[in-house]
Amino acid sequence: MNEYFSAPIWNDDVPKHRCPHTYPKGRTVDSITVENMTVIDAPHATYRNAHFGGTFVLAKPEKVLTDFDGWQDVEVYCLWFKHRLKTRGPIFQIDMSKARVRKVKKADVVFYIGK
């Protein structure tokens, strides 16, 4: 996930690295192809008041409760307005009753949520 860790860090103190704290109209903007990763297919996900769906790379697949039927906090590698968080991936709320976790050899994943 070099693409994630090489992205600029969200920093409200630096004008060009500021991002909206919430954005209800946020949507999936861009994707990348990954290989040999664990992903989650999430038709219903939310982050910072934005509602969207897609396939995302799991940051900590071992912490995802795959037999859970409600909404779960799941850490993924995905940029918010072209920025990453300093110490971890964003935590999306995902409806696990519709989600599917899988190990992939190759897949396109959502990599950027924004305008």
Side-chain angles (χ1 to χ4, degrees):
M1 287 305 310
N2 290 337
E3 295 89 347
Y4 181 77
F5 291 105
S6 63
I9 296 172
W10 178 354
N11 184 347
D12 285 337
D13 295 332
V14 179
K16 72 177 192 174
H17 293 297
R18 289 184 186 150
C19 298
H21 286 262
T22 61
Y23 191 75
K25 295 180 183 178
R27 62 182 178 83
T28 60
V29 176
D30 201 5
S31 65
I32 61 170
T33 301
V34 296
E35 294 181 7
N36 300 318
M37 302 293 286
T38 303
V39 301
I40 186 165
D41 300 313
H44 299 110
T46 66
Y47 183 66
R48 299 185 174 274
N49 289 347
H51 297 268
F52 46 84
T55 300
F56 305 92
V57 173
L58 289 171
K60 297 181 180 175
E62 70 281 359
K63 295 202 174 196
V64 177
L65 303 174
T66 55
D67 58 351
F68 187 71
D69 260 355
W71 289 82
Q72 183 180 159
D73 291 345
V74 177
E75 185 178 349
V76 300
Y77 290 129
C78 186
L79 301 179
W80 175 253
F81 287 81
K82 298 184 182 177
H83 289 77
R84 68 178 176 93
L85 300 179
K86 184 176 183 176
T87 59
R88 61 172 172 77
I91 296 177
F92 290 0
Q93 291 76 45
I94 295 177
D95 180 359
M96 294 304 289
S97 68
K98 308 263 192 276
R100 178 175 67 135
V101 174
R102 60 193 172 104
K103 178 83 172 157
V104 296
K105 289 187 179 186
K106 191 173 189 178
D108 287 333
V109 296
V110 174
F111 186 64
Y112 167 33
I113 306 289
K115 285 186 182 182

